[in-house]
Amino acid sequence: MKSKEIRSQFLQFFQSKSHAVVSSAPMVIKDDPTLMFTNAGMNQFKEYFLGNSISKHDRIADTQKCLRVSGKHNDLEEVGMDTYHHTMFEMLGNWSFGDYFKKEAIEWAWELLTEVYKIDPSILYVTIFEGDASEGLERDSEAFEYWKQFVPEDRILNGSKKDNFWEMGEQGPCGPCSEIHVDIRSSEEKAKQSGALLVNQDHPQVVEIWNLVFMQFNRKANGSLEKLPAQHVDTGMGFERLAMVLQHKQSNYDTDVFTPLIREIEAITNTTYGKDEKTDIAIRVIADHIRAVAFSIADGQLPGNSGAGYVIRRILRRGIRYGFTFLNTKEPFIYKLVATLSKQMGEAFPELISEQNLITNVILEEERSFLRTLDQGLVLLENVIETASSKTISGKKAFELYDTFGFPIDLTALILRERGFDLDVAAFEAALQQQKDRSRAATKVETGDWVVLSDDSEEEFVGYDTLETPIKITRYRKVENKKEGELFQLVFNLTPFYPEGGGQVGDKGYLEAPDGGVVYIIDTKKENNLIIHFAKNLPRNPEATFKAVVDTKQRQRTAANHTATHLLHQALRNILGEHVTQKGSMVHSRSLRFDFSHFGKVTDDELKQVEDFVNARIREGLALEERRGIPYQQALDEGAIALFGEKYGDSVRAIKFGKSMELCGGTHVPITSDIWHFIITSEGAVASGIRRIEAITGDAAKQYFVERSEAYSDVQKVLNNAQDPVKAVAGLQEENALLQKQIQQLLKDKAKNIKGDLKNDVEHINGINFLAKELELDASGLKDLAFELGGEIDDLFVIFGSRNEDKALLTCYISKELVEERKLNAGQIVRELGKHIQGGGGGQPFFATAGGKNPAGIAEALEEARKFVQ
């Protein structure tokens, strides 16, 4: 059975059981601060399990793209080592929100597996929760009784709390679960040992394929459990493992989920899968990682240096280094796999097709960049080896290469072994653990339980229509972290505060109590469909009625900048072309940032056209046309643009200014003239095919003009109030260029004049003509002089030093015959001598330079150079 059919049969089966089939949520999470990525099928439904909102459907089925790079069995460094764990994977799931429970979930799971997919019941095992006395939890006898109708009792196994009690996190909904495991070993192996003994023992052919979670409890902050008001079902079946079973394979990578990618990798790298274990691991790593990276980019997460971007970069770099080390790929190649992946999975996930060019170009640029990093790391590692005082290399040095330069530790260890060195692994791991501990301590958040003051099923946002309104606090909780200290999170029955989202920052403001007391709201965010207001303290009487007031000035500035992003998007599409689409934005009260797809620098002339276009729309005074609750497809049919990486519901909000129409939940000005003026402050590349424009409007634009006017006045004063300051500055530049040429000529003449004197200072040491001098020349003069001497003197070894204020320079020239015959290397020599001037450098074997911040060390470096020829 092909993987496409496996997926469609699952969805069709549950559709026949009255489930609404919904599309996968983006893999990159934007409204849940506890997660970077969707790591389980239930993530997009957390708001329903938490009771923050009510689902339109009691029963849902879907296939969810997930990403796991930490946690149980899923450390990134282990993926590829076995054949059944992955970073990115699909989770087939069916859900019940307060509707059916254990009986139906178990019956349907068995029916699908044995009657639809025709899996032999004799190779299936199930587990149930065995109970936990410390928690006062009994054995899940209810699930046991239902399973008995289908499965012999010796195939119903008790599972520990670790394996059979599922929890969303340290707090929140949880409950017992039943796992379904499959034993695909050969008959001979089954005869030797029962599969029951191998369940949950990490055996590659006895694996879990489906987990049925029965959410019955809520875990409180103190660790205690309370029963949920409604019982829910949350199931997840590993699509890749199911394909392995149904296609009668012994490895996920042998299924048609992965074989097209593996065949392409074999063709590109001229290797063969299945003949060598190291090669096989490398191919599995790359086949797995291209999926994770491609889906993340398609969902709006570009590789970066922090947060979710760092995770994606780390995954991609792991794939690159496996290709570099084990497949001998020294040029970019992973980007070539995107076309295969898009063709294979684009039908189920059309974003792979629509974003194929972007994914390809981003991966290509990342490969080029990291291969350059590997080259630099090899040079640095070579220096570590050359300066090592023993055959054991410091783990701290290796950690510096890993942490500062991104050089992989496994590649460091491999090169060291090849060169006869050992790595102090314990010291490296200690340094890595210290870094992790610091990071965890900095980001750890202690969250208390919600104190519920009143039941309110759904909080209403009224901030589009008013900036102040009477409110009641419905619940609050205390949170604490190292960075911000103690804060309180407040939820209201209705709120005028806009929560951070869609690139727009959250509102600030205050609550005014009846007695005149004030509580300042310092931020507003959304978490699992709940608008949360952050405050430094609680009101004296949280149950009172308060007046909620949004900071008007900040809201107006932010709204102006948000509207400007819409006009900017329209301008870019008009001037650069319809290929331009938004790839991200950040809207503050002080400025705006807009990322967009475009494969080339935006010229100064084009930027001027974009500015003029936006300002023309501002001057037109276009009125806001807002439509709330419009059906999603209708909005698209009417020309609205849906934004990159966003998940939309059945009904949406459309924002229109003239011919600009976008789906948007942000706040906007009522008329474009309120923006006042639009100024682009910068334009540059974010990644291959992604450009970024930063701009200002309103008060910030006014301040910009004031500062420019003052600067202009200052320049005029410096130029003695010249009538034409531009012409005066141009004249100064021409005069300066002429002086620079004269200085360069004087330095060259000086070098020629001292060349004769230097010839007299050449010493003859061991058949080498040695010269070491400190001179008052710049880098260019030193280089010219060294090469001129080298052209006139054979077997020459020159080391020059020079200083410029607090900086030092060393220049080393070695005749090519000495490089070949005496194995001297200028690059290695200047790196060693550079220590005396507190710097470093490098270059070619016959010419190299080093720079440093200690001119006092030049004399010592020149004297030390003598040792290389003695």
Side-chain angles (χ1 to χ4, degrees):
M1 186 182 294
K2 298 291 185 183
S3 56
K4 289 182 181 179
E5 188 180 357
I6 294 170
R7 187 189 291 115
S8 63
Q9 283 201 357
F10 178 89
L11 298 175
Q12 289 168 10
F13 175 83
F14 280 103
Q15 198 168 29
S16 74
K17 305 296 184 185
S18 303
H19 288 64
V21 174
V22 299
S23 59
S24 172
M27 199 163 67
V28 182
I29 291 181
K30 297 187 177 181
D31 63 349
D32 185 348
T34 66
L35 289 171
M36 287 183 183
F37 301 98
T38 298
N39 64 1
M42 58 78 59
N43 291 155
Q44 68 166 310
F45 307 121
K46 280 174 70 172
E47 61 192 82
Y48 307 142
F49 296 128
L50 291 165
N52 295 341
S53 57
I54 299 171
S55 172
K56 294 179 180 177
H57 309 285
D58 293 335
R59 302 177 180 186
I60 284 176
D62 71 351
T63 177
Q64 174 64 51
K65 47 192 177 183
C66 301
L67 181 68
R68 289 183 187 173
V69 289
S70 62
K72 178 183 173 185
H73 304 311
N74 282 285
D75 184 82
L76 175 61
E77 296 304 324
E78 296 302 316
V79 173
M81 299 300 175
D82 64 30
T83 61
Y84 56 99
H85 283 113
H86 303 288
T87 50
M88 182 267 165
F89 59 97
E90 281 187 69
M91 186 72 83
L92 302 169
N94 58 290
W95 321 85
S96 167
F97 307 114
D99 187 15
Y100 64 83
F101 202 46
K102 295 179 184 179
K103 179 177 183 296
E104 294 85 352
I106 289 171
E107 286 178 358
W108 292 337
W110 192 257
E111 180 185 350
L112 178 62
L113 292 178
T114 62
E115 296 181 24
V116 177
Y117 288 138
K118 308 294 184 185
I119 297 176
D120 182 356
S122 69
I123 67 170
L124 296 174
Y125 292 86
V126 299
T127 61
I128 63 165
F129 179 48
E130 66 185 6
D132 188 298
S134 66
E135 298 254 27
L137 294 170
E138 297 180 353
R139 178 173 182 260
D140 193 354
S141 299
E142 183 182 5
F144 177 77
E145 292 299 322
Y146 289 131
W147 277 122
K148 270 174 46 178
Q149 301 174 39
F150 310 105
V151 185
E153 289 189 28
D154 62 350
R155 290 180 175 271
I156 306 173
L157 312 175
N158 288 330
S160 66
K161 180 183 172 187
K162 172 177 170 288
D163 289 321
N164 282 83
F165 194 86
W166 190 90
E167 306 203 41
M168 187 163 62
E170 293 182 2
Q171 294 168 243
C174 55
C177 61
S178 271
E179 298 174 339
I180 303 172
H181 296 253
V182 61
D183 181 357
I184 57 174
R185 295 175 300 153
S186 66
S187 300
E188 293 75 17
E189 289 173 314
K190 290 176 183 176
K192 292 177 185 175
Q193 186 175 28
S194 168
L197 300 174
L198 299 175
V199 168
N200 277 328
Q201 298 302 311
D202 282 336
H203 191 287
Q205 276 84 49
V206 183
V207 294
E208 172 198 341
I209 57 170
W210 207 347
N211 191 11
L212 316 180
V213 179
F214 310 121
M215 291 195 186
Q216 300 174 238
F217 305 102
N218 178 52
R219 175 78 68 184
K220 301 181 73 176
N222 63 7
S224 64
L225 294 170
E226 62 182 6
K227 285 206 168 186
L228 289 172
Q231 297 174 327
H232 312 290
V233 170
D234 158 17
T235 86
M237 177 155 56
F239 174 69
E240 294 80 8
R241 293 185 183 183
L242 179 62
M244 175 180 70
V245 175
L246 297 181
Q247 293 178 12
H248 307 291
K249 304 296 183 182
Q250 295 293 299
S251 159
N252 290 0
Y253 292 92
D254 292 335
T255 68
D256 70 344
V257 178
F258 287 97
T259 50
L261 289 170
I262 290 174
R263 298 291 88 82
E264 190 67 15
I265 295 169
E266 288 177 312
I268 293 170
T269 63
N270 196 28
T271 55
T272 303
Y273 184 71
K275 290 190 175 181
D276 174 75
E277 181 60 16
K278 288 184 177 179
T279 301
D280 289 354
I281 290 173
I283 291 175
R284 286 199 293 267
V285 165
I286 295 163
D288 174 276
H289 290 8
I290 180 61
R291 288 161 33 102
V293 174
F295 272 97
S296 297
I297 295 171
D299 279 345
Q301 183 56 66
L302 300 175
N305 291 325
S306 61
Y310 175 71
V311 173
I312 300 308
R313 176 165 284 166
R314 185 178 168 214
I315 293 172
L316 179 54
R317 287 186 167 187
R318 183 170 184 255
I320 297 168
R321 78 179 191 248
Y322 265 86
F324 182 89
T325 305
F326 300 108
L327 305 183
N328 196 35
T329 54
K330 310 307 182 196
E331 297 292 332
F333 77 99
I334 294 177
Y335 75 97
K336 297 177 182 177
L337 303 174
V338 176
T340 300
L341 179 64
S342 299
K343 182 179 179 181
Q344 178 193 359
M345 300 188 72
E347 183 179 333
F349 302 99
E351 62 271 23
L352 287 176
I353 296 173
S354 62
E355 302 298 336
Q356 182 176 332
N357 286 340
L358 173 67
I359 298 166
T360 302
N361 282 282
V362 168
I363 292 176
L364 172 59
E365 185 55 39
E366 283 289 315
E367 287 192 87
R368 285 173 175 162
S369 174
F370 188 51
L371 287 170
R372 287 193 295 268
T373 297
L374 288 178
D375 285 338
Q376 295 165 1
L378 289 170
V379 173
L380 293 167
L381 181 56
E382 188 66 32
N383 189 41
V384 170
I385 292 171
E386 288 175 3
T387 58
S389 56
S390 73
K391 283 292 185 181
T392 300
I393 300 298
S394 161
K396 288 187 177 180
K397 288 271 190 186
F399 180 74
E400 183 181 343
L401 278 172
Y402 168 81
D403 189 44
T404 307
F405 302 101
F407 199 72
I409 187 60
D410 56 349
L411 192 52
T412 297
L414 178 68
I415 292 170
L416 291 177
R417 282 197 303 272
E418 291 174 348
R419 299 285 293 274
F421 286 81
D422 293 320
L423 173 64
D424 186 349
V425 177
F428 171 83
E429 290 179 345
L432 181 61
Q433 190 59 48
Q434 287 174 4
Q435 183 201 54
K436 288 180 178 178
D437 291 343
R438 286 193 299 269
S439 178
R440 287 194 189 102
T443 57
K444 182 174 176 57
V445 178
E446 294 183 7
T447 306
D449 289 320
W450 286 111
V451 177
V452 179
L453 302 179
S454 63
D455 288 330
D456 190 73
S457 60
E458 199 157 346
E459 181 182 17
E460 184 183 358
F461 174 67
V462 296
Y464 295 138
D465 304 312
T466 183
L467 295 184
E468 59 179 68
T469 187
I471 62 96
K472 296 278 287 184
I473 298 173
T474 60
R475 64 174 95 172
Y476 67 85
R477 68 182 178 189
K478 184 168 73 174
V479 296
E480 192 168 355
N481 63 43
K482 190 172 183 179
K483 182 180 178 182
E484 298 169 316
E486 185 177 277
L487 294 173
F488 289 90
Q489 295 181 342
L490 315 176
V491 178
F492 310 152
N493 62 327
L494 73 167
T495 180
F497 288 87
Y498 179 83
E500 179 182 316
Q504 180 175 327
V505 297
D507 280 336
K508 297 179 181 180
Y510 61 89
L511 297 182
E512 186 179 310
D515 61 4
V518 171
V519 172
Y520 290 99
I521 303 301
I522 60 175
D523 200 1
T524 311
K525 295 181 184 291
K526 199 167 191 178
E527 181 178 330
N528 300 312
N529 206 40
L530 206 61
I531 298 176
I532 296 174
H533 310 78
F534 290 76
K536 285 284 187 182
N537 58 288
L538 274 175
R540 283 192 292 271
N541 177 17
E543 298 190 45
T545 297
F546 301 88
K547 182 167 77 170
V549 181
V550 174
D551 183 329
T552 304
K553 185 167 283 189
Q554 175 172 293
R555 168 68 86 82
Q556 288 173 343
R557 290 169 174 168
T558 304
N561 283 331
H562 202 147
T563 300
T565 65
H566 287 219
L567 301 180
L568 173 58
H569 194 185
Q570 182 190 10
L572 291 167
R573 288 172 66 85
N574 270 268
I575 292 155
L576 301 183
E578 292 294 311
H579 66 279
V580 169
T581 55
Q582 180 176 333
K583 298 301 180 187
S585 68
M586 181 60 70
V587 180
H588 295 274
S589 60
R590 59 187 179 274
S591 63
L592 65 94
R593 188 181 78 202
F594 189 83
D595 297 344
F596 58 98
S597 57
H598 183 59
F599 298 101
K601 178 173 172 46
V602 184
T603 67
D604 290 342
D605 181 60
E606 288 169 335
L607 287 174
K608 180 67 168 57
Q609 291 181 57
V610 169
E611 263 192 0
D612 291 345
F613 183 99
V614 174
N615 284 314
R617 304 291 83 72
I618 292 171
R619 289 192 300 273
E620 284 177 22
L622 300 172
L624 165 66
E625 295 180 47
E626 177 195 26
R627 297 173 67 187
R628 303 178 195 173
I630 181 174
Y632 174 70
Q633 192 57 51
Q634 180 184 336
L636 295 184
D637 293 342
E638 292 180 10
I641 296 175
L643 299 186
F644 184 52
E646 295 288 341
K647 181 175 173 62
Y648 296 97
D650 296 333
S651 60
V652 293
R653 177 173 178 254
I655 295 297
K656 188 175 182 182
F657 289 95
K659 294 181 180 180
S660 165
M661 183 177 177
E662 296 187 10
L663 304 185
C664 181
T667 63
H668 293 274
V669 294
I671 187 168
T672 58
S673 56
D674 288 348
I675 300 172
W676 191 74
H677 198 73
F678 172 83
I679 301 171
I680 294 175
T681 56
S682 69
E683 188 277 340
V686 178
S688 180
I690 302 290
R691 308 296 297 183
R692 171 172 292 170
I693 281 178
E694 296 184 352
I696 53 176
T697 68
D699 291 342
K702 292 175 185 177
Q703 184 62 31
Y704 175 88
F705 286 126
V706 169
E707 291 172 356
R708 282 298 178 96
S709 177
E710 290 174 350
Y712 181 80
S713 297
D714 291 341
V715 169
Q716 274 194 312
K717 289 175 186 176
V718 171
L719 297 171
N720 297 319
N721 292 314
Q723 291 296 312
D724 189 343
V726 174
K727 186 177 179 180
V729 170
L732 287 174
Q733 287 178 322
E734 289 176 8
E735 184 179 339
N736 183 61
L738 181 61
L739 290 171
Q740 287 290 336
K741 286 181 181 179
Q742 292 173 348
I743 290 170
Q744 289 297 322
Q745 187 59 47
L746 287 171
L747 288 172
K748 285 185 178 181
D749 293 342
K750 182 179 179 180
K752 288 178 182 177
N753 291 334
I754 64 175
K755 185 170 67 172
D757 295 334
L758 290 175
K759 284 183 178 181
N760 295 327
D761 293 331
V762 173
E763 301 176 57
H764 302 282
I765 305 173
N766 290 331
I768 295 174
N769 291 313
F770 175 77
L771 176 62
K773 281 285 183 180
E774 181 176 348
L775 303 173
E776 292 183 3
L777 291 173
D778 63 5
S780 177
L782 292 175
K783 181 179 180 181
D784 290 343
L785 182 57
F787 274 88
E788 284 186 24
L789 288 168
E792 299 176 18
I793 303 173
D794 294 333
D795 299 322
L796 182 64
F797 182 118
V798 170
I799 182 79
F800 287 144
S802 70
R803 66 183 71 205
N804 180 9
E805 296 179 352
D806 59 345
K807 294 180 182 178
L809 177 67
L810 294 176
T811 298
C812 182
Y813 171 89
I814 303 175
S815 296
K816 290 189 177 180
E817 57 266 24
L818 291 180
V819 172
E820 295 169 1
E821 296 169 9
R822 301 291 185 98
K823 304 302 181 188
L824 293 170
N825 186 307
Q828 295 174 7
I829 290 169
V830 295
R831 279 198 293 272
E832 184 65 28
L833 297 179
K835 297 174 184 176
H836 297 287
I837 59 172
Q838 296 180 19
Q844 296 171 295
F846 61 89
F847 182 80
T849 60
K853 57 184 179 181
N854 178 32
I858 290 175
E860 190 176 349
L862 296 179
E863 186 58 35
E864 182 78 15
R866 191 177 297 273
K867 294 181 180 180
F868 289 96
V869 298
Q870 286 176 339

